[in-house]
Amino acid sequence: MNARVRDTLLVAGSANLDFVVRASHVPAPGETVLGRDFATFPGGKGANQAVACARAGDVRTRMLLALGNDSFAASLEDSLEGACVELQVVRSALPTGTAFICLSDDAENAITVAPGANAALRGDELSSLHEVSHLLLQLETPLEAVTAFALAARAAGVQVVLNAAPARALPTELLRSVDVLIVNEGELAALTGHNGTVNECLAQLDVPCVVVTLGARGCCARQGGEFFLQPGFKVQAVDTTAAGDTFCGALAAALCRQLPMADALRHASAASALTCTRLGAQSSIPAWEEVQALLQDPAAVHSPQAVAALAAYCGFG
Ligand code: RIB
């Protein structure tokens, strides 16, 4: 493989227009909550991850996505192109995907997605993988398409990075094609059917590299027989929407730049923390310079105690 030629990260996945209402708390089943301000933001796990990757610096980013023929599509294309993501758009007769988000005052959210055109993405729509070193996938598009993309990438020698979100059961052939799996704790438990520690759950997965995001605590990873721990960066969170997507995009970009895993996790955690300080999905994803500034801030250095606390939480050692 010519390393110079394979310099592109391809994201294949979803794009949604997010309809966001702020409220004191997320409603319980059957409850009506009187919210406050309302706004729309470009979102969708795939598109958010593509923007995070493009903003992570120095990685050419392409995205395959399906959109309707409507004004929502135009605003999603504007956001992606504004972040310098090169687009391959499949135009569908279905409406552009939408997501309905209730954002609580403690920065948590509840999200319902109406997939619309995202459901129209098919496995044979992946264009040439020439120049592509990494393919980044999520689960907001049909599982058959995600599986076909992963198999095609594996056959072409492209590294497959899967963010298994939202949680769902995965076909064995998909999991076998994955080089790097990224999950949160809920997704890890759903995938393994195991309610033990993170370490116990990790032992159930036969994937070369598994990264587990742990919210404000940070993240951990197992790569081959090696384990990594990265405590979270402390920030004043206002909206955690797209924090996980930013982590995935920034991590995939760092792997594309061939950073060692420990550095890749540090970059992805810093980018993800900054995303929580602003409203919206793509609008909140930080630029490369902001991430560098946080990484160089002496106050952001993690103590050995913080690493030990994270290790204990994960059940390591
Ligand atoms: O991960 C956050 C995203 O989930 C939102 O932008 C929403 O569109 C849903 O896809």
Side-chain angles (χ1 to χ4, degrees):
M1 187 209 312
N2 181 338
R4 179 83 196 98
V5 170
R6 289 209 172 195
D7 62 353
T8 300
L9 189 142
L10 174 63
V11 180
S14 61
N16 301 321
L17 190 64
D18 291 351
F19 288 72
V20 182
V21 62
R22 302 189 74 181
S24 59
H25 63 280
V26 171
E31 183 187 11
T32 299
V33 169
L34 210 50
R36 300 192 306 275
D37 40 320
F38 164 80
T40 58
F41 296 98
K45 292 189 192 306
N48 297 343
Q49 293 179 15
V51 169
C53 180
R55 290 200 184 137
D58 239 12
V59 173
R60 187 171 163 212
T61 308
R62 278 171 36 200
M63 181 173 184
L64 167 65
L65 71 167
L67 297 171
N69 218 335
D70 47 36
S71 60
F72 293 174
S75 67
L76 295 178
E77 285 174 85
D78 284 352
S79 177
L80 286 159
E81 283 169 350
C84 297
V85 177
E86 296 168 32
L87 301 184
Q88 182 196 337
V89 179
V90 174
R91 202 59 68 177
S92 166
L94 294 167
T96 295
T98 45
F100 298 87
I101 303 181
C102 179
L103 171 63
S104 74
D105 286 342
D106 58 3
E108 292 305 332
N109 59 46
I111 305 180
T112 307
V113 172
N118 294 307
L121 206 58
R122 290 195 328 263
D124 60 2
E125 275 152 347
L126 201 62
S127 60
S128 160
L129 289 167
H130 179 62
E131 299 185 349
V132 174
S133 70
H134 289 70
L135 173 67
L136 177 55
L137 301 166
Q138 330 69 34
L139 302 177
E140 278 187 338
T141 47
L143 209 44
E144 305 74 50
V146 175
T147 304
F149 297 157
L151 291 171
R154 168 56 66 98
V158 170
Q159 290 280 301
V160 177
V161 183
L162 172 67
N163 173 219
R168 55 204 287 194
L170 297 183
T172 310
E173 56 177 345
L174 171 57
L175 217 44
R176 278 209 196 113
S177 306
V178 171
D179 296 287
V180 181
L181 176 70
I182 309 172
V183 285
N184 65 22
E185 283 177 279
E187 291 148 5
L188 180 66
L191 211 53
T192 57
H194 203 277
N195 279 321
T197 63
V198 171
N199 192 21
E200 287 164 349
C201 290
L202 280 174
Q204 311 285 315
L205 287 169
D206 185 19
V207 176
C209 178
V210 183
V211 179
V212 185
T213 59
L214 303 162
R217 290 179 198 277
C219 63
C220 67
R222 174 184 55 68
Q223 189 177 36
E226 218 180 335
F227 290 87
F228 299 86
L229 289 160
Q230 173 60 57
F233 290 83
K234 289 202 181 356
V235 290
Q236 193 66 47
V238 296
D239 182 0
T240 54
T241 308
D245 298 331
T246 302
F247 183 95
C248 295
L251 184 82
L255 296 178
C256 212
R257 296 202 313 269
Q258 301 189 340
L259 287 191
M261 182 53 73
D263 292 341
L265 293 175
R266 209 167 123 71
H267 276 75
S269 295
S272 171
L274 289 167
T275 293
C276 298
T277 64
R278 291 181 281 245
L279 286 179
Q282 286 156 42
S283 54
S284 69
I285 296 171
W288 187 84
E289 295 76 16
E290 292 174 86
V291 176
Q292 295 311 307
L294 177 56
L295 289 172
Q296 282 154 25
D297 183 349
V301 174
H302 293 105
S303 65
Q305 290 83 350
V307 178
L310 185 59
Y313 179 79
C314 294
F316 292 145

